[in-house]
Amino acid sequence: MLTQVRLVVPNFGSSAFGVQRSGGSRMRPKTENQKPKTSRGLPIEHPLRAFIIAFFLLLSAFPVFSQITGAKITIQRSKIRVEEVLKEITLQSGIQFSYNPESIPTQQEISFHVRKASLEETLGELASIIPVDYTIIEDQIVLNRREGPVGMVQEEPEYFTVSGFVNSLSSGESLIGATAFARGTPIGTTTNAFGFYSLRLPKGNYTMEYSYLGFTTEIAKIELIKDVKKDMGLRAVPLELPDVIVETPVSDMLDKRQMGRLELKPADLDNMPEFGGESGLIRGLQAFPGIKSHSDGSAFFFVRGGGKDQNMVIIDDAPIYNPAHLFGFYSMVIPDFTKDIKIYKSDIPVNLGGRLSSIIDVRTKDGNLNKMEFRGAFNPLLYQFSLEGPVVKGKSSFFTSFRRSNFEWLYKKNVPNLNLNFGDFSFKWNFRADNKNRFFFTLINGRDDLANTGSLSSDRAGVFWNNFATTIRWNHLFSPKIFSNTTLYAGNYQYKLSSTEDIWHSGIGNLSLKSDFTVYNSQNITTKFGGELQAFAFNPGKVLTGSLSSLFPAIRQDYSRQAALYYSTDLSFSRWQFSAGARLSGWANLGPAEYYTFDENHEVEDTITAGEEVYQSYWNIAPRSSLEFHIDSGSSLKLSYGVYYQYIHLISNSASPFTSFEVWLPSSPNIKPQRAHQAALGYVRYFPKQGLGFSSEVYYKKMNNQIDYPPHAQTLLNPLIEGELRFGEMRSYGLELLLKKAPGRLNGWIAYTYSRALRQTKAVNGGREYPAFQDRPHDFSLMLNYRLTKRILFSAYWTAYTGSAFSAPTRFYTFNHNTVPVYDEKNNARLPDYNRLDVALKFILNRKPENTYQHSLTFSLYNALGHKNIVAVNFNKILDDNGSPIVRANAIGEQGLVATQADLVRFFPSLTYKLKISKP
């Protein structure tokens, strides 16, 4: 059996990383009277300085590695095994060997004598004694058995490329992040977002190994005497069986684990306890470190201290501006339609932009190329259907799903005029034209309706919102080393509030064209570049119809465009990986338009009328880089730094989880683009015997041009809305810890985050820094799946975090018989800490997992402990029968305000039946 043996480079010494060796001078402890030393500009305890120190410590280690590879080697042994020779060379030079122990006579005893020899001379001596050739690949030595006279050494091999797609054998779905590895060499790679891989290898015969979590490992032998195209299909493992554990090589897991990036699979969402028949994206995100949800019943979430508008969910590249139904209890992203989810919190790739804090990149299923499959889910509150199958078997397929709420039976009898429902429709089509061209089409439409309806259509009053997104995509292979993806996509979000005759309407939409190129230059150099053009339309909100429409001022609509060019290079050399790139973006506001300028007191200074020309533009370049060091085969250290810009802004001065009265505005003469600098340092360690993976990250983020609001700011139906805005800065920092258990009978993860998010705006809170709403220092979550039997799965999810900051009055006074609150510091109080436990039991009803008819029954409890999680605190007057205010705690004493709390869901059971029917 072919295997890979890798000799680990020895420890370079603590001094390479700036650690004091024993025996030297000791650091004296600081007394209370001593002041900490500082450098000019930044105090030593400043978080940014800590990152700078770590960066230079990493750089200081690199020359040490370069020097030891050129070290002189001395081995004087009359009787030594070949295996011991290789270990001794590794100890003295730091170089690594990869070889097949069945081909190399590692146990053969030889006489080996070299003195102060270079690495090349040492290897030449070894090749003259045993039949072995050596090749230097990525600063590593690959040994191969030589057929022929001893002493011949291959020094400059001819290189060729093996490339192709890795797919699921049963469905034909491309597998994102699958591993392609050449046995007996250190060379391997992972497939891109479309299942494509490319490997450059020296001429010769190879055994290729293909693997993916949840699938069997497949082997293929190739003769590489020219460029070879090799597609591979992998068989799915029936994970329903408790004794099946899919093992992933440690080096594979390490290569896939990118700092600041999380990966979710549909099974991760599907196994989480449900709420009302579904476990969606928003609740799935909050289970991981660095991501905080707004509260129960809200679609908003915060990433590493950023604002709620600084995150973007994209489905096949098209943006979803409101990714939730029913104020956040349900998600537009359902597991059945999802193939892969990547969450970027830092080190965001240059081809993705437009937000400061995170990009949630969702890739959808292509549809089964080989057979028809029907899925259904039935819950008292929700039903869902999906169908997928081939249009032309093996060449073209489709996937479609439909979902609708079923709340009517709860309220129609008592409130017949109430209309409360949501629904969505999804469709995907893919077509493999030939080996070099593939086409995809995606369409998603979702709507929510909450209204009271009368006998006449004009009596309707309520809210309605709609999300629409579509994508047309073309994949093209120019050569085995050049892959391209061109996408035309659109996104649209509309919100309407109706009150009898009047309708208030706001919205945002975009149309974009994007083209990405990936060039696999060599085995250790990959280049990515591309460009993007976008057009935006903004409706900040206006009254469309009704008697009141003439009473409100006219609100102008804005039109803008954005262009971006980006480039990045990934380099790998020995145990180091370096990535550097930049994104150049330009923003332009388009006329005709009329806008205002404001003085220092935020009063209108002038009115400017722009013609058809561009009346405002911004150009910015955002560099991004990362440096990763593989400490050994199971651990790595990574440092990253990036600059990010955001040109569209969500205007909302409400902290309510239910409000959708948000207004999207573009950057303009009065609103500068938001900017963020983020530095992060991370450590990853895998424990293969225990099946555990541990990661820790620290980060520091500085944000400029952050929008804030003075008291009582008017943001709706206000043509002078830009004069209501105040601009300041924000900083956030934190520590994120994640311990994850690999798939098996027991799996899951534990996550903890310590973080701070602090705002400072000159015109708010007296210019003093204050905690943001999303400032929650402590956040803990635990997710566990345990398979009790072959057909019974128990799941539990527990989360607890510090309550959100809000402003509470510090005292009251009476004026004209009215009680008036007095506020001091902004966000000076906190809601009670949040605590929730969800549990679920899943029963697999079919006895054999390979049956064409599969079905299951899931019982879930949301907030099983019934904890009262507060979402809002209000200070309300309580009146007696005569209309006089009283205080509930003391009806006789001084009249005042009473604090009342509101919570949403204390205990919610759910029962869901799911089925899957496959036609062979």
Side-chain angles (χ1 to χ4, degrees):
M1 178 180 178
L2 294 174
T3 58
Q4 182 193 20
V5 177
R6 178 173 295 179
L7 302 181
V8 180
V9 177
N11 191 342
F12 299 154
S14 299
S15 60
F17 295 91
V19 179
Q20 179 67 40
R21 291 180 177 270
S22 61
S25 59
R26 298 183 178 180
M27 295 179 63
R28 292 180 298 173
K30 180 175 69 69
T31 64
E32 293 183 0
N33 295 328
Q34 287 178 305
K35 295 182 179 180
K37 294 182 179 180
T38 60
S39 62
R40 294 182 180 178
L42 289 176
I44 196 167
E45 64 273 12
H46 195 283
L48 183 58
R49 178 168 173 80
F51 286 110
I52 296 173
I53 293 173
F55 178 76
F56 283 103
L57 288 178
L58 281 173
L59 290 182
S60 67
F62 176 71
V64 176
F65 178 77
S66 301
Q67 292 168 9
I68 65 172
T69 57
K72 297 299 182 180
I73 300 171
T74 298
I75 303 176
Q76 300 288 343
R77 298 285 294 276
S78 298
K79 190 177 182 181
I80 184 173
R81 288 183 300 171
V82 172
E83 182 181 40
E84 295 175 354
V85 172
L86 299 179
K87 289 182 179 179
E88 190 64 32
I89 294 174
T90 296
L91 289 172
Q92 296 189 35
S93 69
I95 204 73
Q96 298 184 52
F97 286 94
S98 290
Y99 59 89
N100 185 344
E102 297 179 3
S103 301
I104 305 301
T106 57
Q107 302 305 312
Q108 178 182 339
E109 291 187 345
I110 61 174
S111 175
F112 194 78
H113 297 272
V114 293
R115 181 177 176 81
K116 295 184 179 180
S118 66
L119 179 62
E120 183 179 0
E121 293 169 341
T122 304
L123 295 174
E125 178 66 19
L126 181 63
S128 68
I129 300 174
I130 62 173
V132 63
D133 290 335
Y134 72 87
T135 305
I136 300 178
I137 302 178
E138 296 189 27
D139 292 337
Q140 300 192 45
I141 306 299
V142 178
L143 301 180
N144 293 292
R145 184 178 182 85
R146 181 179 65 254
E147 303 297 337
V150 173
M152 296 179 60
V153 179
Q154 178 184 350
E155 295 182 353
E156 297 182 2
E158 189 176 5
Y159 281 80
F160 296 101
T161 300
V162 54
S163 62
F165 291 87
V166 181
N167 307 301
S168 167
L169 195 61
S170 61
S171 66
E173 284 278 355
S174 59
L175 299 179
I176 302 172
T179 299
F181 183 75
R183 284 185 171 181
T185 77
I187 302 175
T189 189
T190 57
T191 57
N192 66 7
F194 305 98
F196 177 78
Y197 75 95
S198 179
L199 275 177
R200 193 148 177 84
L201 295 164
K203 178 181 178 181
N205 296 321
Y206 293 93
T207 299
M208 296 294 299
E209 179 180 302
Y210 301 87
S211 62
Y212 187 71
L213 185 63
F215 288 75
T216 58
T217 298
E218 299 293 337
I219 304 299
K221 295 184 180 295
I222 61 170
E223 182 181 10
L224 199 60
I225 58 176
K226 61 179 181 179
D227 289 343
V228 173
K229 187 179 188 299
K230 182 62 180 178
D231 296 336
M232 177 56 66
L234 305 184
R235 297 180 183 275
V237 174
L239 289 177
E240 304 293 350
L241 302 179
D243 54 343
V244 174
I245 298 178
V246 180
E247 296 185 357
T248 303
V250 172
S251 58
D252 176 28
M253 294 189 294
L254 197 63
D255 289 339
K256 290 182 183 180
R257 179 65 175 90
Q258 177 182 324
M259 190 181 69
R261 186 187 75 183
L262 298 171
E263 290 194 30
L264 277 175
K265 299 298 180 184
D268 295 326
L269 296 177
D270 204 36
N271 288 334
M272 295 190 71
E274 301 176 345
F275 174 88
E278 181 187 281
S279 53
L281 175 65
I282 304 302
R283 286 197 306 280
L285 292 178
Q286 69 179 4
F288 289 91
I291 303 177
K292 305 174 187 294
S293 65
H294 183 287
S295 62
D296 287 338
S298 176
F300 302 131
F301 60 96
F302 309 94
V303 178
R304 290 190 171 177
K308 58 188 178 183
D309 66 333
Q310 295 175 4
N311 312 295
M312 180 166 61
V313 176
I314 55 176
I315 300 181
D316 288 347
D317 281 337
I320 303 295
Y321 293 99
N322 186 350
H325 291 297
L326 196 65
F327 303 105
F329 282 110
Y330 293 91
S331 171
M332 280 196 65
V333 181
I334 58 176
D336 282 352
F337 191 43
T338 304
K339 178 163 57 177
D340 183 77
I341 303 173
K342 288 185 173 61
I343 303 104
Y344 296 96
K345 300 181 295 181
S346 66
D347 197 19
I348 301 176
V350 294
N351 67 311
L352 299 176
R355 296 295 188 273
L356 296 191
S357 294
S358 74
I359 303 290
I360 317 298
D361 187 4
V362 180
R363 298 292 175 176
T364 61
K365 288 183 177 179
D366 300 331
N368 199 310
L369 281 165
N370 301 319
K371 59 183 178 182
M372 297 292 293
E373 286 189 351
F374 171 81
R375 288 182 176 86
F378 304 91
N379 181 277
L381 301 180
L382 183 76
Y383 57 84
Q384 172 189 321
F385 306 100
S386 66
L387 180 66
E388 62 178 310
V391 177
V392 178
K393 193 169 184 178
K395 192 171 185 178
S396 178
S397 63
F398 74 95
F399 184 102
T400 186
S401 68
F402 173 76
R403 178 176 54 162
R404 190 189 185 280
S405 63
N406 185 34
F407 304 138
E408 285 81 1
W409 64 274
L410 293 173
Y411 62 81
K412 276 297 183 182
K413 183 177 180 180
N414 297 323
V415 192
N417 292 333
L418 179 63
N419 188 22
L420 172 62
N421 66 80
F422 71 84
D424 53 46
F425 171 78
S426 305
F427 179 79
K428 177 77 173 283
W429 169 80
N430 96 93
F431 174 61
R432 300 182 177 182
D434 52 40
N435 290 333
K436 293 186 176 182
N437 296 280
R438 295 187 178 190
F439 298 90
F440 305 86
F441 172 73
T442 306
L443 185 146
I444 300 170
N445 188 67
R447 51 136 191 99
D448 285 72
D449 194 1
L450 173 58
N452 276 309
T453 57
S455 57
L456 301 176
S457 59
S458 59
D459 295 335
R460 176 184 175 88
V463 295
F464 170 86
W465 64 91
N466 174 260
N467 276 288
F468 173 82
T470 186
T471 297
I472 300 174
R473 190 192 305 277
W474 170 40
N475 289 172
H476 179 67
L477 277 176
F478 288 94
S479 73
K481 298 198 302 180
I482 304 177
F483 180 90
S484 72
N485 173 55
T486 300
T487 306
L488 177 67
Y489 65 90
N492 186 274
Y493 174 67
Q494 301 295 323
Y495 179 86
K496 293 180 181 179
L497 169 66
S498 61
S499 176
T500 60
E501 298 179 356
D502 300 290
I503 299 177
W504 182 84
H505 175 224
S506 68
I508 180 175
N510 74 286
L511 177 65
S512 306
L513 178 64
K514 179 179 182 180
S515 192
D516 298 328
F517 297 85
T518 303
V519 181
Y520 302 89
N521 307 82
S522 65
Q523 196 47 50
N524 55 355
I525 302 177
T526 301
T527 301
K528 299 177 182 179
F529 61 91
E532 185 173 17
L533 295 173
Q534 295 181 285
F536 289 89
F538 300 85
N539 176 10
K542 60 182 179 180
V543 178
L544 297 178
T545 61
S547 59
L548 297 178
S549 59
S550 60
L551 302 179
F552 290 98
I555 308 297
R556 82 169 192 270
Q557 298 194 38
D558 292 288
Y559 299 92
S560 305
R561 66 170 180 243
Q562 183 180 9
L565 294 173
Y566 40 86
Y567 177 92
S568 69
T569 297
D570 298 328
L571 304 175
S572 60
F573 39 94
S574 186
R575 297 194 289 173
W576 294 86
Q577 291 182 342
F578 177 71
S579 177
R583 181 181 179 92
L584 174 66
S585 58
W587 180 267
N589 299 100
L590 307 179
E594 183 178 85
Y595 65 94
Y596 307 94
T597 61
F598 300 88
D599 59 23
E600 59 183 12
N601 296 318
H602 308 285
E603 301 292 337
V604 175
E605 187 176 50
D606 196 4
T607 302
I608 299 177
T609 301
E612 300 287 341
E613 73 279 1
V614 172
Y615 63 89
Q616 179 65 49
S617 63
Y618 294 97
W619 286 94
N620 293 293
I621 186 166
R624 302 170 192 179
S625 63
S626 64
L627 181 64
E628 183 174 4
F629 174 66
H630 289 251
I631 300 171
D632 53 37
S633 60
S635 61
S636 68
L637 191 68
K638 185 171 182 179
L639 177 69
S640 73
Y641 173 78
V643 179
Y644 308 93
Y645 287 91
Q646 179 171 329
Y647 296 94
I648 65 175
H649 319 274
L650 183 61
I651 308 302
S652 174
N653 63 348
S654 172
S656 169
F658 307 112
T659 180
S660 291
F661 291 92
E662 289 83 25
V663 173
W664 286 93
L665 290 180
S667 294
S668 66
N670 296 307
I671 305 177
K672 294 182 179 180
Q674 299 181 56
R675 180 179 62 191
H677 298 258
Q678 183 177 181
L681 179 66
Y683 172 75
V684 180
R685 177 72 185 180
Y686 287 98
F687 304 90
K689 291 184 179 180
Q690 295 80 14
L692 296 174
F694 170 77
S695 65
S696 62
E697 295 183 32
V698 291
Y699 68 89
Y700 181 82
K701 183 160 61 173
K702 181 77 171 182
M703 291 163 277
N704 307 105
N705 303 326
Q706 298 298 288
I707 295 176
D708 211 334
Y709 308 91
H712 314 297
Q714 177 59 43
T715 59
L716 295 178
L717 296 173
N718 184 359
L720 306 177
I721 186 173
E722 293 179 344
E724 298 284 337
L725 309 181
R726 306 295 183 263
F727 301 93
E729 296 182 345
M730 188 172 178
R731 64 186 180 99
S732 63
Y733 56 89
L735 166 67
E736 300 172 357
L737 303 175
L738 177 65
L739 180 65
K740 195 168 185 178
K741 173 69 169 60
R745 185 166 187 173
L746 173 67
N747 62 79
W749 61 84
I750 301 174
Y752 171 76
T753 302
Y754 173 79
S755 62
R756 298 304 308 269
L758 305 171
R759 281 183 172 273
Q760 187 170 22
T761 306
K762 183 178 180 181
V764 177
N765 198 43
R768 299 181 299 273
E769 189 175 64
Y770 66 92
F773 170 82
Q774 62 269 27
D775 177 62
R776 301 171 188 166
H778 301 283
D779 192 329
F780 175 84
S781 62
L782 170 67
M783 177 67 205
L784 289 178
N785 295 308
Y786 183 69
R787 193 165 296 282
L788 300 172
T789 69
K790 289 184 178 181
R791 296 164 53 200
I792 301 178
L793 175 68
F794 172 77
S795 299
Y797 170 67
W798 178 47
T799 181
Y801 53 78
T802 307
S804 298
F806 75 100
S807 299
T810 56
R811 55 192 181 276
F812 301 91
Y813 68 91
T814 303
F815 180 76
N816 288 337
H817 305 290
N818 294 318
T819 301
V820 181
V822 177
Y823 292 88
D824 190 6
E825 295 286 330
K826 186 176 177 67
N827 288 351
N828 61 334
R830 290 188 178 274
L831 298 176
D833 294 343
Y834 187 96
N835 190 330
R836 193 185 83 236
L837 173 67
D838 307 333
V839 296
L841 269 178
K842 180 179 181 180
F843 301 90
I844 300 171
L845 303 179
N846 51 287
R847 295 183 179 273
K848 297 182 179 180
E850 63 272 13
N851 286 355
T852 57
Y853 183 88
Q854 301 178 30
H855 54 147
S856 65
L857 191 66
T858 302
F859 175 71
S860 298
L861 285 176
Y862 182 87
N863 198 5
L865 300 180
H867 190 268
K868 185 178 180 180
N869 293 310
I870 306 303
V871 298
V873 174
N874 297 306
F875 293 87
N876 304 317
K877 290 181 179 180
I878 297 180
L879 306 179
D880 60 16
D881 295 337
N882 298 322
S884 301
I886 63 174
V887 178
R888 179 179 302 173
N890 183 6
I892 302 176
E894 182 181 358
Q895 300 171 353
L897 299 182
V898 176
T900 59
Q901 300 180 134
D903 67 299
L904 293 179
V905 182
R906 299 191 191 180
F907 183 85
F908 196 90
S910 174
L911 185 66
T912 305
Y913 174 75
K914 294 183 179 180
L915 62 90
K916 175 183 175 183
I917 303 174
S918 302
K919 181 180 179 181

